[in-house]
Amino acid sequence: MRIDFDPAATSRNEFYRLLTAVVVPRPIAWVSTVTADGHTPNLAPHSFFTISCVEPPVVQFTSVGRKDSLRNVEETGEFVVNLAPEALFEQINATATDFPHGVSEFEAVGVTAEPSLRVKPPRVADSPVALECELHSTLRLGDSTVVLGRVVHAAVAEEVLDDGHPEATRLRPLSRLGKDEWGTLGAVREISRIRYADWPATR
């Protein structure tokens, strides 16, 4: 037996809670930006995040509402996606606080910044991965804006690499679940894809 939910008969917040509870786990883009004058860096987690394209490399995150991350990206055309590691759980959550415009989450929360190589927004120094992005485009959808950024540089900590490739158990990425729940990596399973040429006659 299933329970039916009609978006047209459900409030925006109720259906938002339903969607974020079933579309799980969601990777977190810990997005750093800077104001147009270059004086105030901003840092916020966005859990509507994924890869959009490989060639050229493009990633995307969604700003639900008009937040400082979105305003800064629109004004400067640049942002950094920092991986959200388990070790920085409390700081990542704290940067989601609705600080007034003009307050730097780096300073308020005590997150160490480091210069980026190709863009003006700083990177999170203690994050193992930083994807430096130039704005590709934005797409307005109702109360949200999808931000697509072309990755112009990737910086990966040497200690999370295994034979030159990022290793999940070393990255220890956090994910978002429903309500106030967060997910950690847990068990990692490995299986190769099956080529059609190798597909068994009976299965």
Side-chain angles (χ1 to χ4, degrees):
M1 178 178 178
R2 295 178 186 256
I3 305 299
D4 297 318
F5 294 87
D6 182 356
T10 307
S11 74
R12 179 263 190 202
N13 288 343
E14 288 175 333
F15 210 76
Y16 169 84
R17 288 193 292 268
L18 175 67
L19 286 175
T20 55
V22 298
V23 182
V24 291
R26 299 187 308 282
I28 300 166
W30 203 11
V31 177
S32 53
T33 59
V34 70
T35 52
D37 60 14
H39 293 159
T40 308
N42 179 268
L43 182 63
H46 296 266
S47 70
F48 295 2
F49 165 60
T50 192
I51 301 167
S52 304
C53 185
V54 176
E55 180 54 47
V58 175
V59 295
Q60 71 178 65
F61 73 92
T62 298
S63 175
V64 180
R66 298 281 305 168
K67 298 178 180 177
D68 285 343
S69 298
L70 175 60
R71 294 188 185 97
N72 290 346
V73 169
E74 290 176 335
E75 292 176 359
T76 67
E78 297 179 334
F79 63 95
V80 179
V81 172
N82 304 275
L83 184 133
E86 185 178 338
L88 299 180
F89 172 57
E90 293 185 356
Q91 294 95 320
I92 295 163
N93 182 63
T95 57
T97 300
D98 57 342
F99 292 106
H101 180 68
V103 173
S104 170
E105 288 79 4
F106 280 95
E107 294 182 10
V109 175
V111 176
T112 303
E114 68 178 16
S116 294
L117 184 68
R118 295 281 303 275
V119 297
K120 291 180 180 178
R123 307 188 298 223
V124 173
D126 294 326
S127 172
V129 179
L131 304 177
E132 301 179 14
C133 302
E134 294 178 351
L135 179 63
H136 175 278
S137 57
T138 60
L139 174 64
R140 184 71 180 269
L141 296 170
D143 66 353
S144 302
T145 303
V146 181
V147 178
L148 296 104
R150 178 167 182 164
V151 180
V152 295
H153 181 72
V156 183
E158 185 176 5
E159 60 266 24
V160 302
L161 296 175
D162 181 10
D163 195 24
H165 191 273
E167 210 278 318
T169 59
R170 298 181 187 181
L171 291 172
R172 304 302 304 174
L174 283 169
S175 62
R176 283 290 280 122
L177 307 175
K179 300 180 287 187
D180 289 331
E181 301 163 337
W182 298 63
T184 53
L185 185 62
V188 177
R189 301 175 63 181
E190 185 173 349
I191 187 171
S192 299
R193 291 189 180 183
I194 304 171
R195 299 184 310 158
Y196 180 71
D198 299 327
W199 189 258
T202 60
R203 183 171 175 82

